[in-house]
Amino acid sequence: MVGLGPRVVRLTGCVPELVPRSTAYLRVRAVGSPVVLASMVAQAGLLAQRDSATPLRAVSMACVLNIVGDLLLVPKLGAVGAAWATLFSQAACLPYLLWLSRKRDRLPVKLRLPTKEAASSLFKAAKPLFVFEMGLSVCYGVIQSMGTQFSVAATAAFQALWNPTTFLTFVTYPLKQAAAVFLPALASERPEDVGGRPKTQQFLLMLMTCAWPLGLLLGGASYACANAPHVFAQDRSLDATIRSFGPLVAGAACLLPFVQISEGTLLGTGDLGFLSRTQILNTATAVATFFLTKRTGMGVRGTFAVLGAFYMSRLAQGLLRVFVFRPPWCGPDGDADDGRACVV
């Protein structure tokens, strides 16, 4: 990324005027990739131990440092200043996270070469996850690439709304993490009924109940962002374009909580092969919608249409797998956790 920055940026279809700044931003973020990866691994290990307080403290500190860095560096360096602020905050977050983990006897870090058996099991699980994450990256890349293929003004309007709405989507990740972390624990416990249903089924229904208000709240907040362009952009000529994104971005945002639950369930039940295969249809849907919106002349608004189609594909495949074809509370013989006939 550091050496091939300009070529990578041009491959996205970025307008020529933005290539130098985009390249500078990309190079700074690429330098911080090892720190980001190490932080993600450490946080995943803590969440697997059901410790969300330690990552919360570390990420909160990183957020404060990032905001301070933005205020100090962006006025002087522009977008590159935002990249440096993010890099500094993440570099400070990692040692603090590891220190908290060691202090709480949660995540002892010892640098050593993995055994052959450990590496084999890791790669066995990592292969489908790599395909899944790569598919997500490709689809989000298509969306952001589409947002840079029009005029500078259209790109600015897209980016002005993309940033706050992307930030809002993070509130849905606890649903995915809850399903991925607690479902294996429920599967290992003694089968019991809760409210007349198997515990696993009742747990997923509880998550779905939480998803409804969260989806409506997220959709409403996204629509409000689109209708308050003066908050996110100083150029008043962008207002009409940003407002035109409102219905599309709100509709897509309403779907995301349910997407997170279905994919978290597939992770928690170890259905990694199917999870990776879903990216075939997801990617095809995103690319097909991309070309369809270009042919119909939607312009930069098509970026959020692609996002909605991408979420819809993920949602349809995940919900059908979890609630119809392979419910996690049903065993391979068609019986529920407690041995009775399985009822979906």
Side-chain angles (χ1 to χ4, degrees), residues 40-207:
M40 290 173 62
V41 172
Q43 291 177 38
L46 291 167
L47 290 173
Q49 299 176 59
R50 304 188 201 181
D51 180 5
S52 59
T54 302
L56 175 63
R57 289 183 59 179
V59 171
S60 298
M61 186 195 76
C63 290
V64 172
L65 292 177
N66 200 349
I67 293 172
V68 173
D70 285 340
L71 294 175
L72 294 175
L73 298 177
V74 170
K76 298 179 180 179
L77 302 176
V80 180
W84 280 114
T86 302
L87 175 58
F88 291 148
S89 66
Q90 291 171 335
C93 171
L94 178 59
Y96 181 58
L97 177 64
L98 296 178
W99 177 76
L100 284 176
S101 302
R102 183 178 291 275
K103 181 180 179 182
R104 298 181 178 185
D105 294 325
R106 285 290 189 183
L107 199 67
V109 178
K110 295 180 181 179
L111 297 178
R112 59 180 183 270
L113 293 175
T115 63
K116 183 178 180 181
E117 292 76 13
S120 177
S121 61
L122 173 64
F123 286 121
K124 184 178 180 180
K127 282 189 294 185
L129 288 175
F130 174 80
V131 173
F132 173 71
E133 295 295 339
M134 181 60 69
L136 290 181
S137 298
V138 169
C139 293
Y140 283 121
V142 168
I143 295 167
Q144 292 188 289
S145 171
M146 187 176 180
T148 63
Q149 292 188 9
F150 301 93
S151 65
V152 174
T155 300
F158 163 74
Q159 201 63 42
L161 188 60
W162 178 262
N163 288 337
T165 53
T166 299
F167 175 78
L168 289 173
T169 62
F170 286 111
V171 302
T172 66
Y173 279 82
L175 294 173
K176 183 176 184 177
Q177 293 165 344
V181 170
F182 286 101
L183 282 175
L186 290 175
S188 64
E189 294 176 359
R190 185 171 63 87
E192 294 177 358
D193 275 4
V194 178
R197 298 186 180 95
K199 284 194 300 184
T200 303
Q201 185 181 19
Q202 187 64 28
F203 175 71
L204 288 178
L205 291 176
M206 180 196 70
L207 290 181

Side-chain angles (χ1 to χ4, degrees), residues 281-344:
L281 183 57
N282 292 340
T283 305
T285 300
V287 173
T289 309
F290 170 79
F291 285 109
L292 181 62
T293 56
K294 292 192 72 173
R295 289 193 63 179
T296 55
M298 289 187 66
V300 71
R301 288 194 312 122
T303 54
F304 291 104
V306 175
L307 180 66
F310 174 49
Y311 285 171
M312 186 65 73
S313 174
R314 294 167 64 185
L315 177 63
Q317 293 183 86
L319 290 185
L320 285 174
R321 182 72 166 186
V322 170
F323 287 98
V324 178
F325 296 114
R326 192 178 173 183
W329 58 90
C330 296
D333 56 356
D335 292 338
D337 293 338
D338 57 3
R340 295 176 304 175
C342 183
V343 177
V344 178

Side-chain angles (χ1 to χ4, degrees), residues 176-248:
K176 183 176 184 177
Q177 293 165 344
V181 170
F182 286 101
L183 282 175
L186 290 175
S188 64
E189 294 176 359
R190 185 171 63 87
E192 294 177 358
D193 275 4
V194 178
R197 298 186 180 95
K199 284 194 300 184
T200 303
Q201 185 181 19
Q202 187 64 28
F203 175 71
L204 288 178
L205 291 176
M206 180 196 70
L207 290 181
M208 285 293 177
T209 302
C210 295
W212 282 108
L214 181 59
L216 293 174
L217 181 63
L218 186 59
S222 300
Y223 188 79
C225 289
N227 283 273
H230 58 279
V231 177
F232 308 105
Q234 295 181 353
D235 188 347
R236 298 280 68 81
S237 66
L238 304 179
D239 288 3
T241 304
I242 295 175
R243 287 194 178 97
S244 71
F245 298 147
L248 291 170

